Structures are given as C-alpha cells and as structure tokens.
Amino acid sequence: MEGAQLLKCVLYTWGANSYGQLGQGHREDQAEPRRADGGLQAEQTRCMTGGGGHSAVITESGELLMCGQNLKGQLGLSHTSEVITFQPCPLPGCSRVQQVSCGWDFSVILTGDGQVLVCGSNAFGQLGVSPGITHSAEPLHVKSLNEPVTSVAAGLRHALASTASGCVYHWGTGLSSHAKRMLSPHPVPAHLSSKEPCLVPGFNHVTPQKVVAGSTHCICLTVKGDVFLWGSNKHGQLVSESLFLPLPVALDRSLLQAERVTDVHSGWTHLVAKTGDFFSGGRIVSWGWNEHGMCGDGSLCDVTQPRPIPSFRDATALLIGCGSGHSMALCSLKSNEDSAS
C-alpha cells in the first residue's frame, strides 16, 4: 500500500539445538528466543517447519526447500543422502506448494490444488499408501484422499489431514501402542490404528481450519478459533487430567483469557499458539514439555497451561513454527513509528 511503512521482519528461534537447527551459528540449546541471523531471507519466508532431524521452508512464490537428515528419503529429493543446506524440492506437475509438515523420518506435502504427497518412511503406515512400500525418496500421491485437502500434519509416526468438506482424517499407527496401554480393556478407536486415512469422529458441528501433530498427540484448530486436542498427554501438552484422550476434546478458552486462537504449531511434546482477534496484535503463548527450553520462558520446567512468552511483549507475531524440540517465530518489532494511533 502506498505510504505504508515497511517493517523489518526478524526470525527468532529457541529450544533444542544439537544439530545447529536454530540457525544461530552454534549448537547450544536456547531457553529464550534469539535472533537467527543469516541464511534465508526472512521476508521471503511464508511457512517454516521442522521434523525429527530435517527442516522445510516454503517461499512466498510457493517453492519448497528441504534440508537435514534423509536416511529414509524424507526430503523427497529422489536420493537418501544428508543435505546440510536448503535445497529446492522439485515436484513434477506441481507449480506451487501450499503446506508441508515434517515427521520423525517422513514428510507430508500439500499442493496448491489440494493433493497430498508423501515421502520417507512408511514403517508404521505413516505415508498412507500401500503397506508394501517401506519407504520412498520420491513423493507419492495419497490417492485414498479423494477430495480437496486444506491442511496436513505429520507427527512422530502418524499423519493428519483436514478436507474442504470439513472432515479430519488420521493415519499411521504411531499412537496405537499408547492407546492400547492407556485405554485397556477398552478397544482402540479405528482412527488410531489405521494405515490408510481414517475419519476422526467429533467434528460434525465445527469447521476445521488446520490440523497439527506432535509426537503422539493431535490438534485441530477450527475456523472460530477453538482448539481440539487428542492423543497422549504424558507431558501435560493436552491440558487435561487424563493421560490419554482417544477422541478430540476442546481446550478451555478461559485458559487463553477468552481469546480465540489464530494459529497453532506443535513440537514433539510442546505447543506454540498465536492468539487474539485481527488487529489486536496477536500474543504468542506456549505450553508442554520444556526440558530444552522450547517453551521460551527462560526456564527448563514443564509448562502446564498456555503462557505468554515474555520476550515477545514488544513484538508482533507474523508466523510461528516448531520442530521436534525447537520453536520459531517470524516477528515485526514494535516501535513508536508503527504504534497504532
């Protein structure tokens, strides 16, 4: 817009950093957000995410770039060699990538026309394709999702998808053993043990906007800003007294000062959410396992309820993202010049 002030975007990262995944030029964990200087140009980044040992970025033009561990072909580059710098991931017949999500050793890619592509390990059915395929270094089409998909998510060994018709699907057996142990003698629901996309019950009266996955838990953000959670609650990441939730349960909005959630991401056992209505500035809150400081509150103690990250008091969150044990936020810093009049 002519006359509007261009604000400088800053990329912050924090949490586990054993492989230098924070992009800060060292390998020490960080319990508070620190600037990640160098590398990709922050203002050209539209989406950022991480998995067990690999990372992915989508640019404003819809190009997908991948790097990191690649033993099972999870980078989708048609080979299984490790890549230490971001490399373009060519997808034949796909001109634009809408979203990508990284699991432990697999990736789920959503194309601009609503198709789902997968690559990496299929040892637990997490690719949602034929069980005869053990892994793939080339992206494969999940044909059983035969309607346009709006969001995808990859957990440790499971995956999720939401569709244009308002359905949520779950596949991969990563939660099955946890469910058997915690729900016995009751049976394990079908969606937790399927190796192909299986409908998740409980979303008949809401409209899913986005699905998110942790190591052994699942999240669905609705259009109205409510957050539904299910799966393992070992580290309190589901904010429930139950150790395992087999079906989706809504997060009490009073824990967020009655604010709606506008975005949510998850590491293996921690969550980062952006709250607030449009024009309100958007707070960043986090909760869950915090051994490596991934909740960003300066401590290494688990956070049992959503809590604002102190370092972002004077920043406006533009994008957030998570890897297995680290977090990311793209922010514009507040100043006297850009304060609302």
Side-chain angles (χ1 to χ4, degrees):
M1 181 184 299
E2 187 176 355
Q5 183 180 7
L6 181 62
L7 300 177
K8 182 179 179 180
C9 295
V10 178
L11 177 61
Y12 290 92
T13 57
W14 63 97
N17 196 31
S18 301
Y19 303 99
Q21 60 263 49
L22 298 186
Q24 297 177 7
H26 58 80
R27 290 183 173 85
E28 296 178 1
D29 292 357
Q30 294 294 309
E32 294 180 289
R34 293 287 183 269
R35 291 179 63 158
D37 295 317
L40 297 167
Q41 295 185 11
E43 63 272 13
Q44 295 181 2
T45 300
R46 182 169 62 84
C47 173
M48 50 195 177
T49 190
H54 64 299
S55 300
V57 163
I58 300 175
T59 68
E60 285 291 354
S61 63
E63 182 181 24
L64 175 64
L65 299 98
M66 307 278 278
C67 75
Q69 293 181 334
N70 194 31
L71 184 63
K72 298 296 182 179
Q74 56 262 48
L75 302 186
L77 300 176
S78 300
H79 63 76
T80 55
S81 300
E82 187 174 279
V83 176
I84 61 174
T85 59
F86 280 99
Q87 299 291 323
C89 179
L91 300 172
C94 173
S95 60
R96 184 178 177 87
V97 172
Q98 180 177 333
Q99 189 201 346
V100 60
S101 187
C102 302
W104 175 252
D105 53 6
F106 72 106
S107 302
V108 183
I109 302 163
L110 178 61
T111 68
D113 59 358
Q115 295 189 64
V116 176
L117 305 176
V118 291
C119 54
S121 174
N122 193 38
F124 294 84
Q126 61 265 54
L127 297 188
V129 297
S130 170
I133 299 174
T134 59
H135 66 279
S136 178
E138 296 185 6
L140 304 174
H141 180 210
V142 183
K143 297 179 180 178
S144 55
L145 289 169
N146 52 14
E147 63 171 305
V149 170
T150 57
S151 175
V152 294
L156 184 72
R157 295 178 177 124
H158 72 287
L160 304 168
S162 61
T163 67
S165 66
C167 295
V168 173
Y169 290 91
H170 183 138
W171 66 93
T173 60
L175 276 69
S176 182
S177 61
H178 297 270
K180 286 180 182 177
R181 185 168 61 253
M182 302 306 299
L183 300 178
S184 180
H186 302 289
V188 175
H191 61 278
L192 298 180
S193 58
S194 177
K195 293 186 176 182
E196 293 186 352
C198 181
L199 188 67
V200 179
F203 294 104
N204 293 339
H205 304 294
V206 298
T207 304
Q209 175 178 310
K210 176 182 182 179
V211 286
V212 181
S215 60
T216 52
H217 65 265
C218 310
I219 307 156
C220 178
L221 174 64
T222 71
V223 170
K224 291 186 176 180
D226 287 309
V227 175
F228 285 81
L229 307 157
W230 69 101
S232 173
N233 189 38
K234 182 179 179 180
H235 297 280
Q237 65 267 37
L238 304 189
V239 197
S240 170
E241 294 183 359
S242 300
L243 291 176
F244 192 93
L245 298 176
L247 299 172
V249 174
L251 177 68
D252 185 354
R253 201 181 277 196
S254 68
L255 297 174
L256 303 169
Q257 297 183 4
E259 290 183 328
R260 65 189 293 267
V261 173
T262 57
D263 198 7
V264 62
H265 287 260
S266 180
W268 274 178
T269 48
H270 77 289
L271 285 79
V272 179
K274 183 166 167 280
T275 71
D277 294 316
F278 189 60
F279 298 133
S280 71
R283 297 185 306 147
I284 300 179
V285 299
S286 62
W287 68 97
W289 187 51
N290 197 30
E291 182 176 338
H292 298 283
M294 59 277 268
C295 290
D297 66 345
S299 79
L300 301 180
C301 300
D302 290 355
V303 180
T304 58
Q305 293 186 355
R307 181 185 300 167
I309 298 175
S311 296
F312 293 139
R313 265 192 230 98
D314 297 320
T316 298
L318 303 176
L319 291 173
I320 56 175
C322 284
S324 59
H326 64 287
S327 308
M328 300 164 273
L330 184 67
C331 298
S332 63
L333 300 182
K334 292 181 180 179
S335 67
N336 293 334
E337 288 76 18
D338 70 305
S339 298
S341 55

